[in-house]
Amino acid sequence: MPVPLLSPTSFRQSLQVAGWALVVGGLAGSASALFLWLLELTTRFHQAHPWLLWALPVIGLLVGWLYAAHGLGVGRGNNFLLEEIHHPREAIPLRMVPFVLLGTLLTHLGGGSAGREGTAVQMGGSLADGVSRWRKLDSRARRLMLFAGIAGGFGAVFGTPWAGAVFALEVVVISRLQWSAWLPVLVASFVGQYTCLAWGMTHTEYHWLAGREVNFSWLALGKFVLLGISCGLVAQLCGRSAHLVQWGCGRLAPWAPFRPVLGGALVIALVFLTGNRDFLGLGVTSSTSGGASILQSFVPAGLDSWAWLGKLVFTAVTVGSGFKGGEVTPLFFIGAAWGHAAGVWTHEQVPLYAGLSFVAVFAAAAKTPLACAIMAGELFGWHLLVPAAVVCEAAFLCSGRSGIYTSQRHYRQV
C-alpha cells in the first residue's frame, strides 16, 4: 500500500533516499545522454545507407537471440520495473542497461519504427536498483529508488523534468499517484535532465505553439473533449494492433528469437507496399528522403492526412514482433499526425490540434493524463496546460481499461 504523503516516517525516508536519488539522476542522465548521442549517429548512418533495411530480419534474429540466450528476464522491459515496485521478488540486473541500449540501437540501425522512452526508463531503473543493492537499502527504500530511476530516465530523454517526475508517480497504479515517492522522483528527474544537458545533449523544440492564444469558450471546450475522445480511440487501436501482431508472431514462430525476423520481413514488405520510407525509425525529424515526421505535423500542408495510420502499422509490426525501443515516441508521432488530420478535416488550428493530440494519445496509451498535460506545458508552453488537461483526461477516459504497460495496476487492485 502507498504511504500517505504527510506521514513523518515516509517523509524522513524519502529525504534519506533523495540523497541517493541525486546519484540515480546523474547516472540516468549520463546514460540517456550517451543513448541519445548514439541514437543520433545510428539514425544518420541508416539514412546514409538505406540498404540496411534489408538487414532488419537478420538484426531481429540477433536481438531476439541475445535476449533469449543471455537476457535472463530483462526482456520484460518496463513491466519488469513495475512488477518489482508492486511485489519485489528479484533484483533488476545491471545487464539490462547494455541489453536495452544495444537492442534499441540495432532496431534503429535497420530502420525499425520504435521509440526511446523504454530504453531510458529501463536504464534508469536498472541503475537505480544497482545503487540500492550497493547501499543495501531495505525494500521500501528500494521501491522509492525504482521510482527515481523511472523519473530520471524519462525526464532526461525528453527534456521534461516535471513530466518525468509525475509520470513516475502516475504510471505504477492507474488513477492513483504514488505520493510517497514525490521527493526522490523530483530530485532524480531534474538531476537527470540537467546532467543530460551538461553532456551537451539538446532536445527537440516545438516553437509553433509559443505565444499562440487559445480560445477557451464553451464551444472550444466541447471540441477539445471530442478531440480527446478520438485520441483515446486511436490509442486503443495502437495497443490492440501491437497485441495482435504479438499474438500472430507467437503463433507463427514458437521460437521467440524468430519473431523479430517475421517482423523485419513484414516491415520491408510494408515499405514496398507504401512505396516510401516515411514511417521508418524514430520519426522526430524528416529523413534525408523527405519522410514524414512529428515536426511536419505542426505544418498545415506538412503531412498526408493518413500518416498517423501508416506510423501506427509500422510501429505495431516493429514493437509487436519483439524489436526493442518502446512505443512512446511513435505514439507522439501518431498522436501529432492524428491531430494534424483532425485539424485539417475540421478546419481548426492544425498546430494546436497536433500539439494536444501529441500528448493525448500517449496519455491514453500509458494511462498517465496528468503527466502528459504537464508535458504539453513543458514542450509547447504553459498556456496550453488547461486545454491539454481536458484533452488528455477525455482520451484517458475513453481508452479502455488496459494500456501499453500490462503490469500496471488499477487503484481498486491495491
Side-chain angles (χ1 to χ4, degrees):
M1 293 294 289
V3 181
L5 172 63
L6 298 179
S7 164
T9 302
S10 172
F11 180 75
R12 281 196 301 270
Q13 186 164 53
S14 293
L15 196 60
Q16 293 169 355
V17 174
W20 292 111
L22 285 167
V23 177
V24 170
L27 292 173
S30 297
S32 294
L34 175 64
F35 168 56
L36 291 174
W37 176 64
L38 292 174
L39 181 59
E40 183 178 356
L41 294 180
T42 302
T43 300
R44 289 179 179 177
F45 192 80
H46 173 84
Q47 292 173 352
H49 303 86
W51 59 266
L52 284 167
L53 175 65
W54 292 98
L56 192 57
V58 178
I59 290 172
L61 180 62
L62 175 60
V63 172
W65 176 80
L66 282 172
Y67 268 82
H70 304 288
L72 298 179
V74 299
R76 287 176 282 168
N78 288 358
N79 287 310
F80 191 1
L81 305 182
L82 299 183
E83 290 163 10
E84 285 304 302
I85 289 175
H86 290 306
H87 290 294
R89 293 187 181 91
E90 57 184 303
I92 299 172
L94 286 173
R95 73 172 62 89
M96 178 178 270
V97 175
F99 265 76
V100 71
L101 179 63
L102 179 61
T104 302
L105 294 176
L106 286 172
T107 297
H108 286 279
L109 181 66
S113 177
R116 53 191 175 180
E117 166 269 347
T119 306
V121 167
Q122 289 166 48
M123 290 193 300
S126 177
L127 291 167
D129 210 37
V131 173
S132 297
R133 293 196 302 275
W134 172 50
R135 296 307 305 162
K136 299 180 180 178
L137 301 179
D138 62 29
S139 60
R140 181 173 291 179
R142 178 194 179 226
R143 184 173 184 265
L144 296 178
M145 289 288 279
L146 288 175
F147 279 108
I150 292 171
F154 192 99
V157 81
F158 292 121
T160 54
W162 286 110
V166 177
F167 175 82
L169 297 177
E170 192 175 22
V171 72
V172 176
V173 178
I174 298 173
S175 298
R176 175 179 289 176
L177 293 174
Q178 302 300 289
W179 284 114
S180 60
W182 69 273
L183 185 56
V185 300
L186 278 175
V187 171
S189 190
F190 274 89
V191 171
Q193 154 68 351
Y194 286 107
T195 299
C196 189
L197 293 177
W199 282 110
M201 292 297 104
T202 58
H203 300 286
T204 306
E205 294 185 3
Y206 301 90
H207 58 81
W208 291 272
L209 296 171
R212 184 184 291 266
E213 293 187 5
V214 179
N215 176 19
F216 209 67
S217 63
W218 286 107
L219 178 60
L221 178 62
K223 292 179 178 179
F224 290 153
V225 171
L226 291 176
L227 178 64
I229 292 172
S230 69
C231 288
L233 297 177
V234 169
Q236 280 199 59
L237 182 60
C238 291
R240 292 181 180 181
S241 299
H243 291 152
L244 178 62
V245 172
Q246 186 178 29
W247 174 83
C249 288
R251 292 294 298 271
L252 293 172
W255 188 50
F258 193 69
R259 294 167 193 168
V261 178
L262 296 178
L266 188 52
V267 168
I268 294 173
L270 287 170
V271 169
F272 278 90
L273 285 173
T274 59
N276 60 61
R277 294 169 170 255
D278 285 359
F279 308 116
L280 297 177
L282 195 63
V284 175
T285 56
S286 299
S287 67
T288 53
S289 61
S293 73
I294 293 175
L295 298 182
Q296 289 176 318
S297 301
F298 294 86
V299 181
L303 279 184
D304 179 85
S305 294
W306 293 98
W308 64 275
L309 185 58
K311 188 64 173 177
L312 187 155
V313 172
F314 273 75
T315 302
V317 170
T318 301
V319 176
S321 63
F323 283 95
K324 303 304 173 182
E327 309 96 327
V328 173
T329 303
L331 284 169
F332 289 158
F333 185 121
I334 294 165
W338 169 253
H340 174 278
V344 170
W345 292 337
T346 60
H347 305 288
E348 296 291 342
Q349 300 180 56
V350 168
L352 176 62
Y353 272 43
L356 294 176
S357 299
F358 176 112
V359 293
V361 169
F362 175 44
K367 307 300 181 187
T368 55
L370 180 57
C372 290
I374 292 172
M375 174 176 273
E378 290 186 282
L379 292 179
F380 309 129
W382 291 105
H383 61 295
L384 288 183
L385 180 61
V386 174
V390 171
V391 178
C392 288
E393 186 64 24
F396 165 70
L397 292 174
C398 297
S399 61
R401 184 175 178 82
S402 60
I404 57 175
Y405 306 124
T406 57
S407 294
Q408 282 178 312
R409 295 267 185 103
H410 197 274
Y411 73 93
R412 294 190 182 92
Q413 297 176 308
V414 297

